[in-house]
Amino acid sequence: MSTVIDVTLAMGEVTLRGTVTGTGPTVLLLHAGGEQRGVWAPISARLAKHGLRTTAFDLRGHGESTGQATTLRALAGDVAEMVSREPAPIVVVGASVGGLAAIAALAEPAAARRVAGLVLVDVVPDIPPVRARSWLDYRGLRGHYTYLVEDILGSGPALLATAGALDVPILLVRAGPDSPLSDADAHRLRTAARCVTVAHVPTAGHLVARDAPEELADIVSDHATRWLATEDVVDNVFALQQVLGAERIKHPGGTLLTHLRRVYALTVEWGASPRTRLAAICHASYGTDGFPHSLLPVTERQRLRQVIGSDAEALVYHYGACDRARTYRELGNRPLPVTDRFTGEPTSLQGAELHDFAVLTIANELDVARHARLPKPAVEQLRNLFTALKSYAPDEAALALAETH
């Protein structure tokens, strides 16, 4: 039986009532307009069985919470406060208006840095206003939240720009035929944002949490556990590396598998993002410029994505595909140009992904330095590399420099 606790979030004249269920990494659940937090109860119970803790609040003006829901800015401020109170990193799940409030809240960098992934349940940032009004009017829903609806519909371009600037994976869960979303709406989001995947619940109406709680819970759990690098996922990732032969390959300090465990432990010690932790376990899967033993051909990237998720797999790919000589000459630039040694094509890293790439590089090279008898010129090259990486990951680079001096 999951632990269930009622909580209160007081913010000046507004008080929000919420419920916390389970233990483990946190998933913040934001309901749709006109709903209440109780709609998440069956989903929270199912997520708890997967080792996830959920927090669900009544939005202002809903259920037991006070205040009025008349502007998106007010709702976004509430969500930003919720995010700041939860133990990071967290996954945010927002249904309809809850999803739009989540996007608006994550426009604040301080809030976005605490979030490992965003789930939008049957909502996109910029649904066409005419279609939205028609859909709401047909169901008699617009009159209850006239001011809020018009405020949101006037914010579409800004919300799409915010979603496009987010450096977190986004999952769009689409409902069945009753959904107000079109394929074109989903396409705009996928075009604008860095990492968007789409899941379908064809039997559900727009209120997916109410219509198909088990299906939605399973979809959220599948993504959230990887985005948050839960213990079960980490165990599965190490098991995959073992199946691929990592413990049969020699590496300074033992085998490749023991090296992967040490690099992973460093990223945990440094409080690295879940994406970086999972990438640390898999960073040699495709081989690297300095380690030619490939465990998995790049033609089978989907196999790794299924275990660690597309966000972490992309980091593994960049790390393995990086032409180090060319890329390291560009260190200090933002974004960082990266030459793909597999394809010869240029790409670039920026923001959180660039920081995570630097942390992964530092952790890997530091472990090699600890366990290999490097000649003085090689140690000096490492110091120069760590110094160059300080502009991207200052704390981790400083720790590595202190150890190699």
Side-chain angles (χ1 to χ4, degrees):
M1 188 73 175
S2 302
T3 302
V4 179
I5 303 172
D6 287 333
V7 294
T8 298
L9 180 57
M11 300 176 297
E13 297 179 353
V14 175
T15 299
L16 305 181
R17 306 292 184 183
T19 300
V20 175
T21 304
T23 59
T26 297
V27 177
L28 177 63
L29 303 170
L30 307 170
H31 62 73
E35 294 279 272
Q36 298 180 20
R37 70 184 191 273
V39 74
W40 296 112
I43 294 171
S44 294
R46 200 170 181 90
L47 293 181
K49 293 179 180 178
H50 291 277
L52 295 169
R53 170 183 177 270
T54 61
T55 301
F57 282 97
D58 287 336
L59 299 180
R60 67 164 57 204
H62 293 73
E64 296 180 313
S65 294
T66 64
Q68 293 184 320
T70 55
T71 67
L72 182 61
R73 181 178 180 180
L75 291 173
D78 294 346
V79 173
E81 187 66 22
M82 295 174 198
V83 169
S84 73
R85 304 283 185 102
E86 296 298 331
I90 70 173
V91 166
V92 179
V93 179
S96 195
V97 170
L100 298 174
I103 295 172
L106 298 187
E108 294 296 329
R113 283 193 294 269
R114 300 178 64 81
V115 173
L118 173 64
V119 180
L120 299 176
V121 183
D122 210 46
V123 66
V124 294
D126 63 337
I127 188 169
V130 172
R131 183 174 1 117
R133 293 189 188 99
S134 175
W135 189 90
L136 291 168
D137 287 344
Y138 181 75
R139 291 157 181 79
L141 300 174
R142 185 155 62 115
H144 297 291
Y145 300 101
T146 302
Y147 294 112
L148 178 61
V149 167
E150 292 308 312
D151 186 51
I152 288 173
L153 294 180
S155 303
L159 287 171
L160 184 62
T162 296
L166 292 177
D167 199 7
V168 299
I170 299 173
L171 169 65
L172 173 62
V173 178
R174 296 188 61 183
D178 186 51
S179 169
L181 305 190
S182 69
D183 291 342
D185 297 331
H187 179 73
R188 282 196 310 279
L189 178 61
R190 299 188 75 169
T191 300
R194 183 183 64 84
C195 183
V196 177
T197 55
V198 179
H200 295 266
V201 186
T203 59
H206 177 59
L207 299 177
V208 183
R210 182 176 295 279
D211 293 345
E214 292 186 356
E215 293 90 335
L216 181 57
D218 289 344
I219 291 171
V220 170
S221 173
D222 180 53
H223 288 76
T225 52
R226 287 179 289 168
W227 290 344
L228 294 168
T230 61
E231 291 183 8
D232 286 348
V233 170
V234 169
D235 290 344
N236 289 339
V237 178
F238 274 119
L240 174 62
Q241 295 299 299
Q242 191 167 4
V243 167
L244 294 176
E247 66 178 347
R248 297 192 296 272
I249 299 174
K250 292 183 178 180
H251 196 279
T255 66
L256 175 58
L257 186 62
T258 57
H259 166 66
L260 299 178
R261 292 190 183 280
R262 293 192 303 261
V263 176
Y264 168 73
L266 269 177
T267 62
V268 173
E269 177 185 335
W270 293 345
S273 69
R275 168 174 60 188
T276 308
R277 299 180 192 186
L278 294 180
I281 304 171
C282 306
H283 71 267
S285 293
Y286 307 131
T288 71
D289 200 2
F291 189 75
H293 302 280
S294 173
L295 301 179
L296 196 64
V298 293
T299 54
E300 296 185 21
R301 292 179 62 183
Q302 184 60 29
R303 185 176 178 186
L304 191 57
R305 288 192 191 108
Q306 289 174 346
V307 180
I308 66 174
S310 58
D311 200 44
E313 189 278 332
L315 183 58
V316 172
Y317 179 83
H318 287 313
Y319 190 77
C322 167
D323 183 324
R324 294 184 178 182
R326 294 184 182 184
T327 300
Y328 289 175
R329 283 198 297 268
E330 301 290 340
L331 287 175
N333 292 327
R334 293 177 185 270
L336 174 66
V338 175
T339 300
D340 188 322
R341 67 187 178 91
F342 296 135
T343 66
E345 295 295 324
T347 186
S348 63
L349 301 177
Q350 57 187 326
E353 189 173 32
L354 175 51
H355 171 268
D356 292 350
F357 178 86
V359 172
L360 180 56
T361 300
I362 295 166
N364 178 58
E365 298 298 340
L366 181 58
D367 184 73
V368 171
R370 285 175 171 178
H371 294 89
R373 295 182 179 179
L374 299 177
K376 287 185 178 180
V379 173
E380 188 59 32
Q381 287 179 351
L382 271 186
R383 289 174 183 155
N384 292 337
L385 175 61
F386 294 155
T387 299
L389 291 170
K390 283 184 71 174
S391 63
Y392 309 128
D395 294 340
E396 295 83 0
L399 289 169
L401 281 169
E403 186 167 328
T404 53
H405 272 83

